[in-house]
Amino acid sequence: MTLWTYLANTMPFLWQGLAMTLFVSGLVVVLSLVTGVLVGVAFAYGPWWLRWPLRAFSDIMRGTPLLVVIFTFYYLLPMVQINLQPLPAVVLALALFKTAQVGEIARGAVQSIPHGQTDAAKAIGLKFAGQLRYVILPQAVRRFLPPWINSVTDAVKGSSLISLVGIVDLMLAAQQVIGRTYNPLPIYLLAAAIYFAINYSLSVTSRRLEARYAYIRE
Amino acid sequence: LGGSALQYHLNFNLIWKNFDKLAWGLLLSIELAVIAIAIGGMIGLGLAVIYTGGNKVTRSLITAYVEFVRNVPLLLLIYLVFYGIPSAGGFAYGPVESFVATLALYSGAYLVEIFRSGLDAVPKGAIDAGKAIGLTPWQRLTAVRLPIMLRIVLPALSNALISLFKDTSLASVIAVPELTYGANWIKTNTFRAVEVWMVVAPIYLLTGWIILATLRQLERTLLRGLRR
């Protein structure tokens, strides 16, 4: 069997794993976008009783290895009578971990808008919601997008850890193929190439957007 | 859902009984991170200097290395180095050596970027001043550019070390007996999975905070009187 037929025969297994990788990272990215932006806005404008618990949450999440967060959720949730299947449990762990990251990006983006903008919005009679909607967020989104897209690569890479609780993603699919063929190097390189293709296109998009929005940096 | 009473009773005795596994594991985790950043720092520094003064070919090679490492999961890199490369080369190495090499190459790719942007941020006036007093290019590098660059990147280096400390948790997958491996060992042998992660997660968190606080203090000491 030549190398190419070996890899070609492997592809159907890897596709299934890849579908799981894309599904999990996509879900995590969408969920954490919503929660992360809310957390970021709360960091910037929220009252202390909202900011302090969120600060604790964010620091704990960002200070703990993702693998440990996944294992902790995986084993802790059943104890508090939340009986989830492995997949929802790890998606929850990944999404909360990502929420902390996105929250910090969103906070940075919102706080980078000069105070004069808020004052000007107040001066033309906008209420808080209007200030956010028409003045702050349209500007903040340009500072949010490049680092956020870059952080999506972290979600894709981080999703590989779900293989360690037995969910068949691209990583585990590659491992399973290797377990049968005992020829690891080509399969690992193929899996690496697939991860690379996804993440590199995201990094390039992020860099392009950053260059395009460079004009707003004073 | 009915009652709110937990059916599971926490019992930490078996965790404390095996705590040496966690303590030695933590020590190894810290060692792995420090060794990796030391080797990775040399890789990153060397490549950053070559990059800033290099031609198109060396630049593309360095970029290829950086982009490959940054866009592939660390877990996959660990497997690739530990299982993949020896299988093709017909040789073998231990998990610890393999993991240190992987983490060093991994951190090297991130540190190149940090050092490169640090070198770019060295004020042009300082380099010109070096030229004006007749320093050779090598002297300008070692006496002007590198010292100024190191001050600029110091906070980023501290963050990189904390990040690597957390990444050492992945060494458990190739049976390096660090903290997460110790936790998995206790889990498998005592079935106290909940308790062990309730203990190990705070250990990572607190250790990371202590290391970071220490490094920030060190930064302040090193940079004392140097701020403009």
Side-chain angles (χ1 to χ4, degrees):
Chain A
M1 191 167 62
T2 68
L3 182 63
W4 290 115
T5 47
Y6 175 42
L7 291 180
N9 291 339
T10 303
M11 280 316 282
F13 296 99
L14 295 191
W15 283 136
Q16 287 181 3
L18 177 62
M20 178 59 88
T21 291
L22 292 177
F23 171 71
V24 168
S25 18
L27 198 57
V28 167
V29 164
V30 171
L31 289 174
S32 66
L33 177 61
V34 177
T35 51
V37 168
L38 289 176
V39 168
V41 170
F43 269 144
Y45 300 107
W48 64 268
W49 49 264
L50 195 56
R51 280 200 323 266
W52 288 8
L54 286 176
R55 173 50 54 211
F57 161 78
S58 178
D59 284 353
I60 289 171
M61 279 295 166
R62 292 179 309 129
T64 315
L66 179 54
L67 181 58
V68 175
V69 173
I70 289 175
F71 281 149
T72 306
F73 270 82
Y74 193 75
Y75 293 107
L76 206 67
L77 287 178
M79 193 198 77
V80 291
Q81 307 294 305
I82 302 171
N83 288 304
L84 293 176
Q85 295 289 311
L87 185 60
V90 292
V91 167
L92 183 64
L94 287 169
L96 285 175
F97 187 82
K98 191 92 198 117
T99 296
Q101 285 184 347
V102 177
E104 297 298 330
I105 299 175
R107 180 189 58 78
V110 169
Q111 288 182 340
S112 75
I113 306 303
H115 240 283
Q117 296 287 329
T118 318
D119 295 340
K122 275 183 199 156
I124 58 169
L126 287 174
K127 298 255 171 14
F128 175 68
Q131 293 165 22
L132 265 189
R133 180 162 170 217
Y134 297 111
V135 179
I136 304 300
L137 292 185
Q139 300 184 74
V141 79
R142 296 184 176 87
R143 302 199 173 176
F144 173 79
L145 272 181
W148 177 74
I149 294 176
N150 211 20
S151 86
V152 172
T153 64
D154 287 336
V156 177
K157 289 188 282 178
S159 76
S160 67
L161 299 189
I162 66 177
S163 65
L164 298 174
V165 292
I167 294 168
V168 186
D169 67 336
L170 178 55
M171 187 72 250
L172 190 54
Q175 297 275 86
Q176 287 176 340
V177 171
I178 290 163
R180 295 193 179 188
T181 62
Y182 302 108
N183 189 2
L185 191 60
I187 302 299
Y188 281 134
L189 288 176
L190 182 60
I194 299 173
Y195 275 115
F196 181 84
I198 300 168
N199 289 327
Y200 187 66
S201 47
L202 287 167
S203 318
V204 170
T205 313
S206 160
R207 254 172 270 162
R208 285 220 184 115
L209 270 182
E210 196 164 17
R212 199 175 138 194
Y213 293 144
Y215 66 89
I216 52 166
R217 300 201 183 275
E218 294 83 0
Chain B
L1 271 165
S4 62
L6 301 177
Q7 277 151 27
Y8 186 89
H9 295 285
L10 291 172
N11 179 357
F12 287 93
N13 285 336
L14 286 164
I15 312 297
W16 308 137
K17 224 175 173 175
N18 293 294
F19 198 75
D20 59 316
K21 287 259 180 325
L22 301 182
W24 287 111
L26 176 62
L27 202 63
L28 183 58
S29 294
I30 297 171
E31 275 177 55
L32 291 171
V34 170
I35 298 172
I37 204 171
I39 305 174
M42 286 188 269
I43 298 173
L45 190 59
L47 292 183
V49 170
I50 295 171
Y51 187 96
T52 40
N55 58 27
K56 234 179 172 173
V57 181
T58 51
R59 282 184 177 217
S60 332
L61 285 174
I62 294 170
T63 307
Y65 157 63
V66 170
E67 293 295 345
F68 177 77
V69 169
R70 289 173 65 123
N71 287 305
V72 171
L74 177 56
L75 181 61
L76 181 48
L77 295 175
I78 292 168
Y79 289 140
L80 186 65
V81 173
F82 186 60
Y83 297 114
I85 294 175
S87 78
F91 48 86
Y93 30 71
V96 175
E97 293 84 357
S98 175
F99 182 76
V100 165
T102 313
L103 202 60
L105 285 170
Y106 177 78
S107 67
Y110 284 84
L111 292 170
V112 176
E113 296 288 283
I114 292 176
F115 287 133
R116 205 162 56 83
S117 58
L119 281 174
D120 285 346
V122 174
K124 215 173 166 304
I127 301 171
D128 289 340
K131 275 184 204 162
I133 59 168
L135 296 182
T136 63
W138 176 254
Q139 288 171 323
R140 287 205 294 276
L141 179 69
T142 55
V144 181
R145 292 167 67 208
L146 290 185
I148 297 177
M149 180 274 280
L150 280 177
R151 273 170 227 161
I152 297 170
V153 301
L154 219 47
L157 286 183
S158 304
N159 293 340
L161 180 63
I162 298 297
S163 190
L164 286 178
F165 168 65
K166 290 188 285 166
D167 290 333
T168 58
S169 60
L170 292 184
S172 58
V173 301
I174 53 171
V176 174
E178 43 67 67
L179 181 53
T180 297
Y181 185 83
N184 271 320
W185 189 93
I186 294 177
K187 185 205 81 187
T188 316
N189 287 281
T190 68
F191 301 108
R192 292 286 162 190
V194 183
E195 290 89 337
V196 80
W197 293 114
M198 282 171 78
V199 170
V200 166
I203 292 181
Y204 271 110
L205 196 60
L206 289 177
T207 313
W209 284 345
I210 292 170
I211 299 175
L212 192 62
T214 315
L215 291 173
R216 291 280 181 259
Q217 191 57 48
L218 195 69
E219 283 164 25
R220 244 169 271 142
T221 320
L222 285 174
L223 299 180
R224 184 167 296 152
L226 290 168
R227 294 227 185 277
R228 275 157 292 171

Short mmCIF file of all heavy atoms in Angstrom, two decimals, chain B residues 34-67:
data_model
loop_
_atom_site.label_atom_id
_atom_site.label_comp_id
_atom_site.label_asym_id
_atom_site.label_seq_id
_atom_site.Cartn_x
_atom_site.Cartn_y
_atom_site.Cartn_z
N VAL B 34 9.78 25.88 33.34
CA VAL B 34 10.99 26.71 33.40
C VAL B 34 12.02 26.26 32.36
O VAL B 34 12.60 27.07 31.64
CB VAL B 34 11.59 26.68 34.84
CG1 VAL B 34 12.96 27.34 34.86
CG2 VAL B 34 10.65 27.38 35.82
N ILE B 35 12.23 24.92 32.27
CA ILE B 35 13.20 24.42 31.28
C ILE B 35 12.73 24.77 29.86
O ILE B 35 13.51 25.21 29.02
CB ILE B 35 13.39 22.90 31.43
CG1 ILE B 35 13.96 22.58 32.81
CG2 ILE B 35 14.34 22.36 30.35
CD1 ILE B 35 13.99 21.10 33.12
N ALA B 36 11.42 24.60 29.63
CA ALA B 36 10.89 24.86 28.29
C ALA B 36 11.07 26.33 27.91
O ALA B 36 11.46 26.65 26.78
CB ALA B 36 9.42 24.47 28.21
N ILE B 37 10.82 27.24 28.88
CA ILE B 37 10.94 28.66 28.51
C ILE B 37 12.41 29.04 28.37
O ILE B 37 12.76 29.91 27.57
CB ILE B 37 10.21 29.59 29.51
CG1 ILE B 37 9.87 30.90 28.80
CG2 ILE B 37 11.05 29.86 30.74
CD1 ILE B 37 8.98 31.82 29.58
N ALA B 38 13.31 28.35 29.10
CA ALA B 38 14.74 28.65 28.95
C ALA B 38 15.22 28.26 27.55
O ALA B 38 15.86 29.06 26.86
CB ALA B 38 15.53 27.89 30.02
N ILE B 39 14.87 27.02 27.12
CA ILE B 39 15.29 26.59 25.77
C ILE B 39 14.52 27.37 24.71
O ILE B 39 15.08 27.88 23.74
CB ILE B 39 15.06 25.08 25.59
CG1 ILE B 39 15.77 24.29 26.69
CG2 ILE B 39 15.57 24.63 24.22
CD1 ILE B 39 15.47 22.81 26.68
N GLY B 40 13.20 27.50 24.93
CA GLY B 40 12.37 28.23 23.97
C GLY B 40 12.81 29.69 23.85
O GLY B 40 12.75 30.27 22.77
N GLY B 41 13.27 30.26 24.97
CA GLY B 41 13.74 31.65 24.94
C GLY B 41 14.97 31.79 24.06
O GLY B 41 15.08 32.76 23.30
N MET B 42 15.87 30.80 24.14
CA MET B 42 17.06 30.85 23.29
C MET B 42 16.67 30.71 21.81
O MET B 42 17.17 31.46 20.96
CB MET B 42 18.04 29.75 23.69
CG MET B 42 18.75 30.07 25.00
SD MET B 42 20.06 28.89 25.35
CE MET B 42 19.19 27.66 26.30
N ILE B 43 15.76 29.76 21.54
CA ILE B 43 15.29 29.59 20.15
C ILE B 43 14.66 30.90 19.67
O ILE B 43 14.98 31.42 18.61
CB ILE B 43 14.24 28.45 20.07
CG1 ILE B 43 14.85 27.11 20.47
CG2 ILE B 43 13.64 28.37 18.66
CD1 ILE B 43 13.84 25.98 20.57
N GLY B 44 13.75 31.44 20.52
CA GLY B 44 13.02 32.64 20.12
C GLY B 44 13.93 33.83 19.91
O GLY B 44 13.80 34.56 18.92
N LEU B 45 14.90 33.99 20.84
CA LEU B 45 15.80 35.14 20.74
C LEU B 45 16.66 35.03 19.48
O LEU B 45 16.79 35.99 18.71
CB LEU B 45 16.68 35.20 22.00
CG LEU B 45 17.53 36.45 22.19
CD1 LEU B 45 16.63 37.67 22.24
CD2 LEU B 45 18.34 36.34 23.48
N GLY B 46 17.25 33.85 19.29
CA GLY B 46 18.11 33.63 18.12
C GLY B 46 17.35 33.89 16.83
O GLY B 46 17.81 34.65 15.96
N LEU B 47 16.16 33.30 16.73
CA LEU B 47 15.40 33.45 15.48
C LEU B 47 14.91 34.88 15.29
O LEU B 47 14.86 35.37 14.16
CB LEU B 47 14.21 32.48 15.46
CG LEU B 47 14.58 30.99 15.37
CD1 LEU B 47 13.33 30.13 15.28
CD2 LEU B 47 15.48 30.72 14.17
N ALA B 48 14.59 35.57 16.40
CA ALA B 48 14.12 36.96 16.26
C ALA B 48 15.24 37.84 15.72
O ALA B 48 15.01 38.69 14.85
CB ALA B 48 13.63 37.48 17.61
N VAL B 49 16.47 37.62 16.21
CA VAL B 49 17.61 38.42 15.74
C VAL B 49 17.88 38.10 14.27
O VAL B 49 18.08 39.00 13.44
CB VAL B 49 18.86 38.15 16.61
CG1 VAL B 49 20.09 38.78 15.97
CG2 VAL B 49 18.65 38.70 18.02
N ILE B 50 17.86 36.79 13.94
CA ILE B 50 18.08 36.40 12.54
C ILE B 50 16.99 37.00 11.65
O ILE B 50 17.26 37.50 10.56
CB ILE B 50 18.09 34.86 12.40
CG1 ILE B 50 19.29 34.28 13.15
CG2 ILE B 50 18.15 34.44 10.93
CD1 ILE B 50 19.28 32.77 13.26
N TYR B 51 15.75 36.97 12.16
CA TYR B 51 14.63 37.46 11.35
C TYR B 51 14.79 38.94 11.02
O TYR B 51 14.64 39.34 9.87
CB TYR B 51 13.31 37.24 12.09
CG TYR B 51 12.08 37.55 11.27
CD1 TYR B 51 11.42 36.54 10.59
CD2 TYR B 51 11.60 38.85 11.16
CE1 TYR B 51 10.31 36.81 9.81
CE2 TYR B 51 10.49 39.13 10.39
CZ TYR B 51 9.85 38.11 9.73
OH TYR B 51 8.75 38.39 8.95
N THR B 52 15.12 39.74 12.05
CA THR B 52 15.18 41.19 11.81
C THR B 52 16.32 41.56 10.87
O THR B 52 16.24 42.57 10.18
CB THR B 52 15.34 41.99 13.13
OG1 THR B 52 16.24 41.30 13.98
CG2 THR B 52 14.02 42.17 13.83
N GLY B 53 17.39 40.74 10.85
CA GLY B 53 18.49 41.07 9.95
C GLY B 53 18.58 40.14 8.76
O GLY B 53 19.54 40.18 8.00
N GLY B 54 17.57 39.28 8.59
CA GLY B 54 17.68 38.20 7.61
C GLY B 54 17.18 38.56 6.24
O GLY B 54 16.56 39.61 6.03
N ASN B 55 17.46 37.65 5.28
CA ASN B 55 16.94 37.84 3.93
C ASN B 55 15.60 37.13 3.79
O ASN B 55 15.07 36.57 4.77
CB ASN B 55 17.95 37.33 2.89
CG ASN B 55 18.29 35.87 3.11
OD1 ASN B 55 17.48 35.12 3.66
ND2 ASN B 55 19.48 35.46 2.71
N LYS B 56 15.06 37.13 2.57
CA LYS B 56 13.73 36.60 2.34
C LYS B 56 13.61 35.12 2.71
O LYS B 56 12.61 34.70 3.30
CB LYS B 56 13.37 36.80 0.86
CG LYS B 56 12.05 37.52 0.71
CD LYS B 56 11.71 37.72 -0.75
CE LYS B 56 10.31 38.27 -0.87
NZ LYS B 56 9.95 38.64 -2.22
N VAL B 57 14.64 34.34 2.37
CA VAL B 57 14.56 32.89 2.58
C VAL B 57 14.51 32.57 4.07
O VAL B 57 13.64 31.83 4.54
CB VAL B 57 15.75 32.18 1.91
CG1 VAL B 57 15.65 30.67 2.12
CG2 VAL B 57 15.80 32.51 0.43
N THR B 58 15.46 33.14 4.85
CA THR B 58 15.45 32.83 6.28
C THR B 58 14.17 33.33 6.93
O THR B 58 13.61 32.66 7.80
CB THR B 58 16.66 33.48 6.99
OG1 THR B 58 16.71 34.86 6.64
CG2 THR B 58 17.96 32.81 6.60
N ARG B 59 13.69 34.48 6.48
CA ARG B 59 12.43 35.00 7.03
C ARG B 59 11.28 34.06 6.78
O ARG B 59 10.46 33.80 7.67
CB ARG B 59 12.11 36.36 6.43
CG ARG B 59 12.91 37.48 7.05
CD ARG B 59 12.49 38.79 6.48
NE ARG B 59 13.22 39.87 7.15
CZ ARG B 59 12.70 41.05 7.44
NH1 ARG B 59 11.46 41.32 7.11
NH2 ARG B 59 13.41 41.96 8.06
N SER B 60 11.17 33.53 5.54
CA SER B 60 10.05 32.62 5.24
C SER B 60 10.17 31.34 6.05
O SER B 60 9.16 30.80 6.51
CB SER B 60 10.00 32.25 3.76
OG SER B 60 10.54 33.24 2.98
N LEU B 61 11.40 30.85 6.24
CA LEU B 61 11.57 29.63 7.02
C LEU B 61 11.12 29.85 8.46
O LEU B 61 10.41 29.02 9.04
CB LEU B 61 13.03 29.18 6.99
CG LEU B 61 13.51 28.54 5.68
CD1 LEU B 61 15.01 28.27 5.73
CD2 LEU B 61 12.74 27.25 5.41
N ILE B 62 11.52 30.98 9.03
CA ILE B 62 11.13 31.27 10.42
C ILE B 62 9.62 31.44 10.51
O ILE B 62 8.96 30.92 11.42
CB ILE B 62 11.87 32.52 10.94
CG1 ILE B 62 13.37 32.22 11.03
CG2 ILE B 62 11.33 32.95 12.29
CD1 ILE B 62 14.24 33.43 11.29
N THR B 63 9.04 32.16 9.53
CA THR B 63 7.59 32.34 9.53
C THR B 63 6.87 30.99 9.43
O THR B 63 5.87 30.75 10.11
CB THR B 63 7.16 33.24 8.36
OG1 THR B 63 7.91 34.45 8.42
CG2 THR B 63 5.68 33.56 8.43
N ALA B 64 7.40 30.09 8.59
CA ALA B 64 6.76 28.78 8.42
C ALA B 64 6.75 28.03 9.76
O ALA B 64 5.72 27.46 10.17
CB ALA B 64 7.51 27.97 7.37
N TYR B 65 7.88 28.05 10.46
CA TYR B 65 7.97 27.39 11.77
C TYR B 65 6.96 27.99 12.75
O TYR B 65 6.18 27.28 13.39
CB TYR B 65 9.41 27.52 12.29
CG TYR B 65 9.59 27.41 13.79
CD1 TYR B 65 9.28 26.24 14.48
CD2 TYR B 65 10.10 28.48 14.52
CE1 TYR B 65 9.47 26.14 15.84
CE2 TYR B 65 10.30 28.40 15.89
CZ TYR B 65 9.98 27.23 16.55
OH TYR B 65 10.17 27.14 17.90
N VAL B 66 6.94 29.33 12.82
CA VAL B 66 6.05 30.01 13.76
C VAL B 66 4.59 29.69 13.44
O VAL B 66 3.80 29.33 14.32
CB VAL B 66 6.29 31.53 13.73
CG1 VAL B 66 5.22 32.27 14.51
CG2 VAL B 66 7.66 31.86 14.30
N GLU B 67 4.23 29.81 12.16
CA GLU B 67 2.82 29.61 11.79
C GLU B 67 2.40 28.16 12.00
O GLU B 67 1.27 27.90 12.43
CB GLU B 67 2.58 30.02 10.33
CG GLU B 67 2.74 31.50 10.06
CD GLU B 67 1.69 32.35 10.78
OE1 GLU B 67 0.68 31.80 11.24
OE2 GLU B 67 1.91 33.56 10.89
#
